[in-house]
Amino acid sequence: MKKLDAGEHPLGKVFSSDFEFAIPDYQRPYSWGTEQALQLLDDLNGAIDRDPDEPYFLGSLVLVRDNGRRAEVIDGQQRLTTLSILFAVMRDLTGNDDLRKELSDFIQEPGKITAGTKAKPRLELRPRDADFFREHVQTLGSTDKLIALDDNAVTVDSRRNIRDNARALHDELAGWPPGRLEKLAELAGSRTFLVVVSTPDLTSAYRIFSVMNARGLDLSPSDIFKAKTIGEIADGDRAKYSQKWEDAEEELGRSGFADLFLHLRMIYAKERGRRELLIEFPEQVLNQYLPQHAAEFIDDVLLPYSDAYEHLINADYTGGAAWQSVNAWLKRLARLDNNDWRPPALWALKHHPDDPKFLDAFLRKLERLAASMLLRRVYTTPRAMRYANLLKQLDAGKGLKSEALILSEQECAETVDRLKGEIYLVAPSRTYALLRLDELLANQPGVSYEHRILTVEHVLPQQPKKGSQWLNDFDEPAREYWTHRLANLVLLNRRKNSSAQRFDFAKKKHQYFSGSNGVATFALTLQVLKKESWTPAVLKARQSALVKRLSDEWELT
């Protein structure tokens, strides 16, 4: 029977000759930021003044360790690495020679001439980061050079995190009063404990890691799913598949990768989530593949959907006009105020990766549906149900003929009514509709709107000044009717100017709607600049034209 060992150890023992820690290459890179590093220091600082007989627990480590000192770290890399950085900064800050020697021994096992041994780091990071960590953290006196490195010298995220955390910890500790550093060292060495769980094989370690973290430690669900999946893969393939998983996470980023699992759950379950992802994803997705088909889940599900999601987010397909049209639809959809459209879009991108004609047609229909629901303010639950039904129909092979893609006559009529109404009063709707209109009027499909500032402005002001021309051209009922409707709205790429907003039309047109800030680049605004006057008759004609333009684009009438 395989032996499992668990116990509480003070950091003085954890960072001693009892352990020789190594981060396997298949683990994700060091990812703690300054917030987590400073929180760790703050927690330790707060514990200094508590009852000296009260131990301080810092969490747990899960290790693969079979008899010898060497231990592969399955869970606890972030904590061990950050503690090493903290000890190194303390080592290089202190003026106490004895403390410097003790902290140096925490970080690196000293060599012995009499034993014929050389100094060796207590913690060895992944091979790609090990040399950097050894040179800039584990070497005596190295942290001053580390914190001085500019961004060009640390282009890899994990190394930048090491630099940033060393810098943040140094800045904090440098302001501490005399003697406080020694108290921190005493707390860390003798009163701060880690729960260390050791098992002789990787499969058991991953299972322990999964159970422990499912009970509340601070890991994302994707970390738990990785543990469950990688733990079921044969030893000879485990490192390869861990690298595949890690590469996908790096491409999407931590946040994007986490979102991918939410979308995968929707694609498989075809219903809105009811419980935590940590519970539902294994039940609805992962358990179909584990334990026998863990590699298949990575190869056939995770990687192709990850690739599709990267294209979805970046809208970066290449290969000619057909693919540029696909990119254009993805950019439009990205302007929506929700991401519920992403699962069906991902389904299409994954199942038709080489068919831009299908994707162009599908995404056109999907955008029409999504825009209509946005304008009609369909709330989360019925919106999710509509997309869930679409996913069911897609899986059934209905493709572009899926009923869920089709707007009913009533839905079309309601959408037109919303376009005709006081659209300004619904912020997500007004911005989306105006951007779609501007793109259509400019005749530039897929144009990007990446202005740092984007505002929706009234031509007829909301509160005209007394004695202004506006009050002559619009009586009160006309102002109430037209102020917030589509015809009276334009796009600007500058901040609101409350005084200029109330100018009469001629002055406002030349001093506020045009000028040196590139406002005239919006086709919608250029139309206004061509008008000689702004009256109810002008607005009536403009409203009819703009509503018709969007109605034709979305085939609403």
Side-chain angles (χ1 to χ4, degrees):
M1 184 174 179
K2 296 176 179 178
K3 182 181 177 183
L4 181 147
D5 179 72
E8 302 167 1
H9 298 294
L11 292 187
K13 184 174 182 180
V14 172
F15 289 91
S16 76
S17 298
D18 287 3
F19 295 93
E20 186 179 303
F21 298 109
I23 310 299
D25 193 37
Y26 54 78
Q27 291 280 31
R28 63 187 175 95
Y30 177 62
S31 60
W32 268 19
T34 56
E35 181 179 350
Q36 291 97 329
L38 290 174
Q39 185 62 56
L40 174 66
L41 177 58
D42 188 60
D43 291 343
L44 289 169
N45 186 32
I48 291 174
D49 301 318
R50 296 179 196 156
D51 185 345
D53 295 326
E54 179 184 343
Y56 178 69
F57 285 94
L58 202 56
S60 63
L61 302 177
V62 178
L63 311 173
V64 173
R65 187 183 185 207
D66 193 1
N67 298 323
R69 294 166 48 195
R70 184 172 177 81
E72 287 194 348
V73 181
I74 305 306
D75 181 33
Q77 172 198 178
Q78 309 297 325
R79 199 171 293 110
L80 284 175
T81 306
T82 306
L83 284 168
S84 295
I85 296 170
L86 173 61
F87 293 149
V89 171
M90 293 169 63
R91 173 201 66 199
D92 295 342
L93 271 176
T94 184
N96 185 322
D97 292 340
D98 291 335
L99 178 57
R100 182 181 300 110
K101 173 65 169 61
E102 291 181 28
L103 289 169
S104 184
D105 288 351
F106 268 28
I107 299 163
Q108 186 165 256
E109 182 178 349
K112 292 185 178 180
I113 297 174
T114 54
T117 58
K118 295 182 179 180
K120 189 174 185 179
R122 303 283 187 202
L123 171 66
E124 182 181 340
L125 293 198
R126 305 181 327 151
R128 67 191 70 183
D129 293 327
D131 289 343
F132 179 88
F133 198 67
R134 189 176 298 114
E135 177 183 353
H136 292 96
V137 174
Q138 293 167 320
T139 300
L140 182 65
S142 60
T143 58
D144 285 343
K145 292 181 180 179
L146 170 63
I147 63 179
L149 292 176
D150 62 26
D151 288 348
N152 293 327
V154 281
T155 56
V156 177
D157 286 346
S158 54
R159 299 176 190 180
R160 185 170 294 180
N161 289 333
I162 292 169
R163 189 275 313 270
D164 290 349
N165 289 343
R167 185 180 287 170
L169 292 169
H170 178 277
D171 290 348
E172 184 69 22
L173 291 172
W176 279 21
R180 191 71 176 177
L181 211 60
E182 284 77 3
K183 291 183 179 180
L184 175 60
E186 179 186 353
L187 169 77
S190 60
R191 289 199 286 129
T192 301
F193 290 77
L194 283 168
V195 175
V196 180
V197 181
S198 301
T199 183
D201 68 274
L202 189 54
T203 300
S204 298
Y206 266 121
R207 286 172 180 155
I208 293 166
F209 162 79
S210 178
V211 170
M212 290 177 66
N213 286 288
R215 292 178 181 172
L217 296 183
D218 187 19
L219 284 177
S220 75
S222 61
D223 292 321
I224 308 299
F225 305 148
K226 179 182 179 183
K228 290 177 177 291
T229 306
I230 299 299
E232 298 294 350
I233 292 177
D235 290 350
D237 292 330
R238 196 169 277 150
K240 177 179 70 174
Y241 277 95
S242 292
Q243 187 63 53
K244 288 183 178 184
W245 188 295
E246 183 178 303
D247 289 344
E249 183 173 9
E250 287 183 356
E251 288 296 326
L252 289 175
R254 186 100 169 128
S255 176
F257 195 64
D259 288 343
L260 175 62
F261 286 89
L262 290 169
H263 300 324
L264 286 175
R265 192 214 63 79
M266 180 65 169
I267 289 168
Y268 274 75
K270 300 173 182 63
E271 63 179 27
R272 190 182 177 202
R274 302 177 187 278
R275 294 174 295 166
E276 293 181 357
L277 183 69
L278 197 62
I279 297 172
E280 287 194 332
F281 190 82
E283 292 178 353
Q284 298 171 342
V285 184
L286 202 53
N287 291 349
Q288 299 178 36
Y289 296 90
L290 303 185
Q292 291 92 346
H293 304 292
E296 181 182 332
F297 170 75
I298 295 174
D299 286 332
D300 297 345
V301 179
L302 184 68
L303 297 186
Y305 271 114
S306 177
D307 183 64
Y309 197 38
E310 188 177 0
H311 285 304
L312 182 150
I313 292 170
N314 297 323
D316 60 356
Y317 282 104
T318 58
W323 283 112
Q324 292 312 306
S325 184
V326 172
N327 290 337
W329 290 117
L330 293 174
K331 290 177 182 177
R332 294 180 190 111
L333 286 160
R335 298 179 201 141
L336 294 164
D337 70 339
N338 65 83
N339 293 327
D340 295 343
W341 59 273
R342 288 184 173 182
L346 273 173
W347 185 99
L349 296 177
K350 191 258 188 184
H351 286 84
H352 297 269
D354 302 314
D355 190 351
K357 183 178 179 181
F358 173 89
L359 293 175
D360 180 37
F362 178 80
L363 293 174
R364 172 184 286 277
K365 290 176 178 289
L366 183 65
E367 190 269 345
R368 176 178 182 256
L369 170 64
S372 173
M373 288 197 288
L374 174 71
L375 288 162
R376 290 183 288 117
R377 303 312 295 159
V378 176
Y379 69 93
T380 303
T381 298
R383 188 173 66 229
M385 289 175 61
R386 183 68 167 257
Y387 289 129
N389 288 333
L390 174 56
L391 286 164
K392 292 174 184 176
Q393 292 161 14
L394 289 171
D395 266 354
K398 293 188 176 182
L400 297 176
K401 296 182 179 180
S402 298
E403 293 89 345
L405 280 173
I406 301 170
L407 294 177
S408 68
E409 288 186 11
Q410 181 179 348
E411 288 172 334
C412 289
E414 288 178 4
T415 306
V416 173
D417 286 343
R418 294 302 179 103
L419 288 173
K420 291 179 177 179
E422 295 183 299
I423 197 169
Y424 179 82
L425 300 178
V426 185
S429 298
R430 77 191 185 209
T431 303
Y432 191 84
L434 287 169
L435 287 172
R436 283 294 274 124
L437 262 176
D438 194 77
E439 179 187 359
L440 293 168
L441 296 172
N443 195 26
Q444 293 181 345
V447 62
S448 293
Y449 294 92
E450 298 176 353
H451 303 286
R452 187 171 59 87
I453 300 169
L454 185 67
T455 63
V456 176
E457 297 281 352
H458 297 81
V459 181
L460 165 65
Q462 298 183 69
Q463 296 179 324
K465 292 188 294 185
K466 290 183 178 179
S468 70
Q469 185 63 37
W470 296 116
L471 298 181
N472 293 331
D473 292 338
F474 292 84
D475 58 23
E476 187 172 345
R479 289 199 309 274
E480 289 182 0
Y481 183 83
W482 285 115
T483 299
H484 296 310
R485 294 183 192 271
L486 200 59
N488 191 49
L489 305 176
V490 293
L491 294 167
L492 298 181
N493 62 344
R494 62 172 66 164
R495 296 193 185 280
K496 294 178 182 289
N497 182 324
S498 57
S499 60
Q501 286 172 342
R502 302 174 72 189
F503 288 160
D504 282 335
F505 181 63
K507 185 176 181 181
K508 190 173 189 179
K509 182 171 66 169
H510 293 293
Q511 294 191 20
Y512 189 37
F513 289 165
S514 62
S516 60
N517 292 327
V519 172
T521 57
F522 293 106
L524 200 63
T525 313
L526 275 170
Q527 282 192 336
V528 176
L529 294 175
K530 294 177 182 178
K531 300 293 183 182
E532 294 299 323
S533 62
W534 202 255
T535 64
V538 171
L539 283 168
K540 183 177 180 181
R542 177 175 164 84
Q543 178 82 350
S544 177
L546 295 181
V547 171
K548 184 178 187 305
R549 191 70 184 87
L550 280 174
S551 296
D552 290 347
E553 171 68 9
W554 287 325
E555 300 177 355
L556 299 175
T557 55

